[in-house]
Amino acid sequence: MISVEGFTGIRAFVQAVEAGSFSAAARQLGQSPSSVGKAIARLEQRLEVRLLQRTTRRLALTDEGAAYHESCVRALQELERAQSGLVDRRALPSGCLRIALPVLLGRQWVVPLLLGWARDYPALDIEAVFSSHPVDFAEGGFDLAVRIGTLEDSASLVARRIGNQRLVTCAAPAYLNTCAPPRSLADLPAHTCLGVLRDGRVEAWRFVDTAGQACTVNVKARLRLADREAVAAAASAGLGLAQLPQWLIAEALARGELVAVLPDHEPASLPIHVVWPASRTLPARVRMVVDGLLAATLPGHGHSADGA
């Protein structure tokens, strides 16, 4: 561990090199030239190496001094960045926060959080864009985004997992009163299914088979709706089976309007991440949203999204 005296010597050494003389460094540090010279001499004594060649006109770095100076400059820059990061975190969120969100999850879960932050921080402006497709951070000028599903590796982005999207195959009691609940995937063709229409095609339903392997089933859907909320409404109305995110139907499940079926074939959940461009420090507004999403709770989950 570097002592206070050692750190003083490092500062004096770096400042003397940058300023070109002990006297100039002393003025910048608010010390006397002799104090600067003694601090560097003690540093050399501890390191057992000469760092500077002293002449009447200028200071010259030795080979060892040049290498040590480069390392010291990097270390001091890291300390400055660490201090700036702490200052940023203490600062109140301000400026314009631009965030890209999945349509339904963003509207139902993230927007209430954004409205709370907008109320609490008057100097903060918020722009939220809703899209089911990944956004271009550079082109769109986004600070961060929330994404559902597996992310591609990217050296230019940082991601933190904030939760999991669990899919639930469900139906209303009114529908299940008309026919026996499905017991296996082989029973699905005998049931009326409700499909989510995406890019002109019905999304396949995802399951885990009896061997524990992930599989998909292309259901024949009587109703094909390009909106999950509409599919959830149709399922609650007793029009058939649906496969929907738990966070979307959590209240309907709690009220008994919908009932989960095929519990032995529950598919693996999809990760939910908050993503932002890689940088050494984050503005206070971005850090606030990241921390807030990590601490938040998805509907239907009994704990924070980070541990979902």
Side-chain angles (χ1 to χ4, degrees), residues 63-186:
D63 289 343
E64 294 82 0
Y68 190 65
H69 174 261
E70 183 179 344
S71 297
C72 289
V73 168
R74 284 200 302 268
L76 291 173
Q77 288 174 342
E78 285 296 328
L79 286 173
E80 290 177 359
R81 277 192 285 268
Q83 180 171 303
S84 297
L86 288 175
V87 171
D88 246 350
R89 292 192 67 168
R90 289 197 302 267
L92 291 177
S94 61
C96 182
L97 173 78
R98 187 165 171 80
I99 184 170
L101 300 170
V103 180
L104 276 183
L105 182 69
R107 193 167 67 218
Q108 293 205 5
W109 182 47
V110 183
V111 165
L113 298 174
L114 294 177
L115 298 182
W117 293 322
R119 180 182 60 249
D120 294 339
Y121 302 103
L124 177 67
D125 294 341
I126 297 175
E127 293 182 7
V129 174
F130 300 85
S131 173
S132 57
H133 301 286
V135 297
D136 186 313
F137 279 91
E139 183 177 337
F142 292 101
D143 291 299
L144 67 170
V146 172
R147 293 181 178 172
I148 302 172
T150 303
L151 300 176
E152 296 181 0
D153 290 337
S154 174
S156 63
L157 297 177
V158 179
R160 289 291 304 275
R161 189 164 180 156
I162 57 175
N164 297 291
Q165 175 169 282
R166 174 193 169 203
L167 291 175
V168 178
T169 308
C170 60
Y175 172 80
L176 296 176
N177 287 337
T178 66
C179 55
R183 303 297 181 186
S184 69
L185 302 187

Side-chain angles (χ1 to χ4, degrees), residues 20 39 55 62 68-69 80 112 117 157 196 205 234 246 249 274 287:
T55 68
T62 64
Y68 190 65
H69 174 261
E80 290 177 359
W117 293 322
L157 297 177
V196 175
W205 289 11
Q246 184 183 19
I249 59 172
V274 57
R287 172 55 59 187

Side-chain angles (χ1 to χ4, degrees), residues 1-2 17 22 50 87 94 114 171 188 200 235 238 243 248 252 290 307:
M1 181 178 293
I2 298 176
V17 173
F22 286 174
R50 179 164 302 269
V87 171
S94 61
L114 294 177
L188 288 177
Q243 190 175 79
L248 177 61
V290 172

Side-chain angles (χ1 to χ4, degrees), residues 166 246 250 295-308:
R166 174 193 169 203
Q246 184 183 19
T297 302
L298 276 169
H301 292 68
H303 35 71
S304 67
D306 189 35

